[in-house]
Amino acid sequence: MDINFLKTLGLSETNCGTTSGKKSYASDNWLESYSPVDGLLIGKVSVTSKESYDQISATATHAYSSWRLVPAPKRGEIVRQFGEKLRKYKEPLGKLVSYEMGKSLQEGYGEVQEMIDICDFAVGLSRQLYGLTMHSERSGHRMYEQWHPLGVVGIISAFNFPVAVWAWNSALSWVCGNVCIWKPSEKTPLCGIACQNIWNEVAQENNLEDGICSLINGDYTVGEYLTTDTKIPLISATGSSRMGKIVGSTVAARFGRSLLELGGNNAIIITESADLDAVLIGAVFGAVGTCGQRCTSTRRLIIHESIFNQVKEKLTKAYKQLRIGNPLDPSNHVGPLIDRTAVELYQKSIKQAIEQGGTVVVAGDVLSGDSYTSGCYVTPCIIEAQNHFPIVQHETFAPILYIMKYTDLHSAIKMQNDVPQGLSSAIMTNNLRDAETFLSVEGSDCGIANVNIGTSGAEIGGAFGGEKETGGGRESGSDAWKAYMRRQTNTI
Ligand code: NAD
């Protein structure tokens, strides 16, 4: 494996994980990052101590006092330059994402492209942070609203989108006039260092103050430095619903705001009239892409009884053709799970699904041999199940697809909604009335509802996020920027 891309990104065997840009804070406590691709140690990153965190927080607060005074279009210009740097580093950064997280190289590049796209979006936005003007009921008065930045934004991110989610949050935060402190996942710390290094180039070229973009590293205990810090008005946290429950209540207890992007349990309803070729593409990509480790991964197929066997057969055939192996090799369709703990959870979930009454359609297995030395490669699996099984109600972050039958559309929609999570959903149908019912107020209760496209993947132009245990947050496009600002009503 040629790992020159690590050098291009300024990474070495040991890396300082705590920095406000110019200033870095060393520690003797290390996080080790092993690749799920080949099981090798990629590098070490030092863990942030509480003392260093306090310095980072103070530097960020200081930087905010001047960054907020920079006109928004000029802040947009900095984000434009950052987008340009990402174009320059797209190849090595995409490779690092693939090697450290385990997603396919194309998906690694795709993730960096999402970062570039959100920068472009944010540049335009920097000239469009509009407030409304209202007619006052009092004569001779003028009333309007304006949007001010919040201050220091804390970003906590998950392993499965190790760079894009940070960019979604930071690009919008910066044009809005905020500064950011990021704690990446402890499973993908090198991706965080690489992004900070790219930012540092832009900061240096523009002689920017230290602290506009800061990085801390470690596990949940370092995350807690952020969530309990009363100087941080907004915490944007992406990860499991379990984490969101803790973070949401901790931040609320100090009257902070949180933006939560949590787990999904996404279903596709397949009606009698569906185009089965489109179904197959959407369902297979949605269920096995990123080895089932997307928040929008397809976890359930709710299939009309009249076509159930036909869909099952087609899926089985497609699953048998999947090539599993090194995600940096473009001929493979499915890469590894993130680590061996994830493999154990996958095995445990399959066992539970069978115990709860499920029938295996395509068996799940852990692969061994020379190509699978990391021990993280598994085969995507299909289980015929019932929606109410406790394991089906739960998000297992692995390629396990539950398939189930329905007889009428209303019961299918009820099944689709009858899980604790509410992120993404889809219907495959050529019947306009069925599609409109699915999108109506009686339809999907999710933040994302698609017709004839799977549950997975999203464009940066739309607001991204979900309801119920997915946390209610919205990020990225549309008017998601409002979450990063405070509204002020003015009467003169
Ligand atoms: P995780 O919840 O284990 O960790 C996510 C992040 O939260 C990590 O940085 C972790 O250190 C931090 N953290 C955990 N507990 C914390 C605490 N008490 N205080 C502060 N920080 C804490 O999630 P993961 O395994 O990295 O990622 C997978 C999960 O993320 C899945 O549930 C997936 O659906 C979800 N996810 C959601 C979205 C979305 O946009 N809705 C996007 C990506 C991933």
Side-chain angles (χ1 to χ4, degrees):
M1 171 88 199
D2 175 10
I3 49 168
N4 262 336
F5 61 87
L6 296 175
K7 264 196 213 132
T8 314
L9 295 166
L11 298 168
S12 55
E13 277 171 29
T14 54
N15 305 275
C16 181
T18 312
T19 178
S20 48
K22 283 181 207 153
K23 274 183 262 160
S24 294
Y25 303 84
S27 91
D28 296 330
N29 191 3
W30 298 95
L31 263 180
E32 292 181 329
S33 178
Y34 290 90
S35 169
V37 175
D38 53 18
L40 298 177
L41 178 67
I42 318 175
K44 290 183 183 182
V45 172
S46 65
V47 171
T48 305
S49 67
K50 180 67 170 70
E51 294 69 40
S52 306
Y53 172 79
D54 289 340
Q55 303 268 8
I56 291 281
S57 172
T59 308
T61 303
H62 188 263
Y64 169 63
S65 59
S66 45
W67 182 245
R68 65 184 171 172
L69 300 178
V70 175
K74 294 218 162 88
R75 298 192 295 250
E77 165 57 18
I78 298 295
V79 173
R80 188 194 67 74
Q81 291 181 33
F82 182 59
E84 286 300 306
K85 288 278 180 210
L86 289 169
R87 284 181 170 88
K88 179 176 157 200
Y89 287 107
K90 181 172 175 181
E91 198 183 329
L93 188 58
K95 271 193 187 145
L96 174 66
V97 168
S98 177
Y99 190 52
E100 192 176 33
M101 185 274 155
K103 62 176 65 176
S104 77
L105 188 56
Q106 277 320 310
E107 286 176 294
Y109 292 149
E111 209 182 315
V112 183
Q113 187 57 47
E114 269 191 41
M115 301 172 84
I116 295 167
D117 293 345
I118 196 72
C119 286
D120 287 352
F121 183 91
V123 175
L125 187 64
S126 70
R127 292 178 187 270
Q128 300 174 74
L129 301 168
Y130 300 136
L132 296 171
T133 302
M134 300 86 170
H135 286 269
S136 170
E137 62 190 31
R138 291 162 284 187
S139 66
H141 287 64
R142 184 160 78 82
M143 185 158 68
Y144 69 103
E145 66 184 19
Q146 56 176 339
W147 294 85
H148 290 307
L150 287 170
V152 185
V153 173
I155 303 166
I156 295 173
S157 62
F159 78 85
N160 65 329
F161 276 91
V163 293
V165 164
W166 166 72
W168 285 9
N169 281 283
S170 53
L172 293 200
S173 290
W174 288 327
V175 296
C176 291
N178 303 304
V179 301
C180 302
I181 302 176
W182 178 26
K183 193 202 84 64
S185 165
E186 57 273 38
K187 296 176 187 171
T188 50
L190 292 168
C191 283
I193 307 269
C195 291
Q196 178 77 36
N197 288 347
I198 296 171
W199 164 266
N200 287 351
E201 283 189 19
V202 178
Q204 203 177 359
E205 284 162 14
N206 290 277
N207 202 18
L208 295 179
E209 184 163 348
D210 216 21
I212 295 167
C213 172
S214 302
L215 181 72
I216 57 173
N217 266 287
D219 63 9
Y220 74 95
T221 52
V222 175
E224 283 172 355
Y225 301 157
L226 274 177
T227 58
T228 54
D229 186 345
T230 51
K231 293 191 292 306
I232 304 216
L234 172 66
I235 295 288
S236 173
T238 302
S240 58
S241 299
R242 187 197 57 77
M243 174 279 285
K245 231 173 227 171
I246 301 170
V247 167
S249 51
T250 307
V251 176
R254 60 171 177 84
F255 294 103
R257 289 192 202 172
S258 50
L259 198 173
L260 300 175
E261 296 284 353
L262 311 173
N265 193 346
N266 319 297
I268 303 179
I269 296 174
I270 304 169
T271 72
E272 283 173 279
S273 69
D275 171 344
L276 293 192
D277 291 331
V279 164
L280 213 60
I281 297 166
V284 176
F285 176 72
V288 312
T290 327
C291 200
Q293 299 170 109
R294 283 174 167 237
C295 48
T296 53
S297 286
T298 307
R299 311 221 173 268
R300 298 174 292 144
L301 292 185
I302 303 168
I303 308 166
H304 192 267
E305 58 185 358
S306 64
I307 52 166
F308 185 80
N309 287 336
Q310 205 185 341
V311 173
K312 187 161 97 175
E313 259 168 48
K314 278 181 181 280
L315 277 173
T316 307
K317 223 169 160 185
Y319 265 54
K320 295 264 150 79
Q321 284 162 12
L322 290 172
R323 287 175 57 109
I324 302 153
N326 187 330
L328 288 126
D329 174 348
S331 64
N332 289 323
H333 303 113
V334 185
L337 285 171
I338 184 70
D339 54 24
R340 291 189 188 196
T341 309
V343 174
E344 279 164 29
L345 280 173
Y346 154 90
Q347 288 174 302
K348 209 165 121 191
S349 298
I350 294 174
K351 194 163 161 262
Q352 283 178 12
I354 296 166
E355 283 165 5
Q356 288 164 21
T359 310
V360 174
V361 177
V362 176
D365 228 335
V366 181
L367 299 172
S368 55
D370 285 351
S371 312
Y372 309 115
T373 46
S374 67
C376 299
Y377 291 86
V378 301
T379 59
C381 129
I382 303 179
I383 297 177
E384 194 170 333
Q386 303 278 326
N387 199 57
H388 66 266
F389 291 177
I391 193 66
V392 176
Q393 296 278 312
H394 175 81
E395 179 200 42
T396 302
F397 226 47
I400 304 172
L401 179 66
Y402 301 110
I403 59 171
M404 52 202 85
K405 284 180 199 161
Y406 79 88
T407 43
D408 69 279
L409 187 62
H410 286 284
S411 67
I413 292 173
K414 189 168 181 303
M415 243 190 259
Q416 124 78 35
N417 291 342
D418 198 7
V419 288
Q421 310 81 356
L423 181 53
S424 186
S425 59
I427 190 168
M428 296 285 185
T429 186
N430 279 337
N431 180 319
L432 186 59
R433 188 176 289 186
D434 288 351
E436 291 291 347
T437 303
F438 179 72
L439 300 176
S440 76
V441 65
E442 295 175 300
S444 166
D445 65 359
C446 291
I448 298 167
N450 295 335
V451 176
N452 292 333
I453 308 180
T455 59
S456 188
E459 290 183 34
I460 61 101
F464 181 87
E467 306 300 334
K468 304 190 295 190
E469 290 192 6
T470 303
R474 291 296 185 277
E475 282 177 3
S476 195
S478 185
D479 63 353
W481 61 271
K482 289 180 177 168
Y484 302 86
M485 301 197 88
R486 62 185 169 88
R487 185 197 309 249
Q488 187 176 65
T489 304
N490 309 114
T491 311
I492 303 170

